[in-house]
Amino acid sequence: MSGNIKLLSDTLAAAKAEGRSALIAYLPAGFPTVDGGIEAAKAVFDGGADVVEIGLPHSDPVLDGPVIQTADDIALRGGVKIADVMRTVREAHEATGKPVLVMTYWNPIDRYGIERFTAELAEAGGAGCILPDLPVQESATWREHAGKHGLATVFVVAPSSKDARLADITAAGSGFVYAASLMGVTGTRESVGEQAQDLVRRTKATTELPVCVGLGVSNAEQAAEVAQFADGVIVGSAFVKLMLTADGDVTAGLDGIRALAGELAEGVRKRA
């Protein structure tokens, strides 16, 4: 079975054709439970997200800030497995028909097996993988298997990336490019700032792929700001924080993230 890279590309192209950015939501698998995480993914789609990234919880994340680390800890203590991540992808995609990716550090895939992981992700209806810590120069085997299974390989670029390095990264990637708008870890910010706009400009000079901005966006105003220059707006910590502050009331958490997704969806549609 082939994965859904085409669905991802078509979804991003459709948003562009509407004259807006796509809204991309991030949620970790297994949080607050496996079933709760599946319902959370459906809820952000219901609220207006175009794409969802499902995080594979990791015990030693290098990119994730305290909010997502806390959710990952809860998921790991709950015994979340890669099979649960695949189930989350499958059920979120089957319920909505929309593109679902996995965001993961490299070590779990390396241990699990590249062929096994890509085959199972494609079979689950996944659209691809975001790999924040896989060096491009070491990615050939992954990209071969991902390509064979119809999966996007999304690499992360940062403000520190030099122009030549950006060109190497974007040439190897597919689906879209994840632009980390700030140096540091994930989390909500007061302002996303000019650094993100400069990074998007430099990245777009190297590729025809959509460039989507993450790290820091938490409200409709910031989403509208980023939507003026990015092809997609990625929001994670703000959703996870709502589930955390619901303090076990899953229904309230789901209502909160559905409402936030609606506000953000309006934000990415605002014209300058």
Side-chain angles (χ1 to χ4, degrees):
M1 180 173 176
S2 183
N4 273 312
I5 185 173
K6 185 177 186 300
L7 175 63
L8 174 64
S9 298
D10 289 350
T11 298
L12 295 172
K16 184 176 182 178
E18 292 174 17
R20 65 174 180 90
S21 282
L23 175 60
I24 302 175
Y26 167 92
L27 294 160
F31 170 74
T33 61
V34 175
D35 288 343
I38 291 167
E39 292 307 311
K42 293 177 185 177
V44 291
F45 272 136
D46 288 347
D50 298 288
V51 180
V52 166
E53 305 170 5
I54 298 298
L56 196 162
H58 196 274
S59 58
D60 186 27
V62 295
L63 185 69
D64 299 312
V67 170
I68 291 173
Q69 284 187 28
T70 299
D72 278 5
D73 287 344
I74 291 168
L76 290 167
R77 287 201 305 271
V80 70
K81 301 285 193 297
I82 288 179
D84 299 314
V85 177
M86 298 298 179
R87 181 185 156 213
T88 303
V89 171
R90 173 181 287 104
E91 295 195 19
H93 171 64
E94 287 181 350
T96 63
K98 294 183 179 180
V100 184
L101 300 103
V102 168
M103 186 167 187
T104 179
Y105 297 101
W106 181 245
N107 191 42
I109 294 177
D110 198 32
R111 291 203 311 266
Y112 197 72
I114 298 172
E115 170 58 23
R116 181 183 177 195
F117 190 94
T118 52
E120 290 182 7
L121 182 56
E123 194 276 329
C129 235
I130 302 163
L131 300 163
D133 67 339
L134 176 63
V136 168
Q137 61 270 25
E138 298 174 18
S139 68
T141 302
W142 162 267
R143 287 187 285 124
E144 176 188 345
H145 286 284
K148 179 175 74 173
H149 289 291
L151 299 169
T153 297
V154 179
F155 289 115
V156 179
V157 298
S160 59
S161 303
K162 305 297 185 189
D163 289 351
R165 175 74 176 149
L166 288 176
D168 289 343
I169 293 171
T170 59
S174 55
F176 64 91
V177 182
Y178 187 126
S181 65
L182 299 142
M183 298 300 290
V185 298
T186 59
T188 59
R189 300 293 199 282
E190 292 301 313
S191 173
V192 181
E194 294 178 9
Q195 209 172 29
Q197 191 164 359
D198 179 65
L199 176 59
V200 170
R201 177 188 58 78
R202 293 195 297 120
T203 304
K204 282 181 171 289
T206 71
T207 184
E208 295 297 315
L209 288 173
V211 180
C212 304
V213 169
L215 275 63
V217 176
S218 61
N219 57 49
E221 290 72 28
Q222 290 174 340
E225 176 192 348
V226 174
Q228 303 310 312
F229 57 83
D231 299 301
V233 179
I234 302 169
V235 181
S237 294
F239 287 121
V240 177
K241 186 181 290 186
L242 284 171
M243 292 297 291
L244 283 170
T245 55
D247 198 26
D249 186 340
V250 176
T251 300
L254 294 175
D255 288 345
I257 62 174
R258 190 179 292 108
L260 177 60
E263 293 165 14
L264 293 165
E266 287 184 20
V268 299
R269 286 166 170 81
K270 286 183 179 172
R271 309 304 298 167

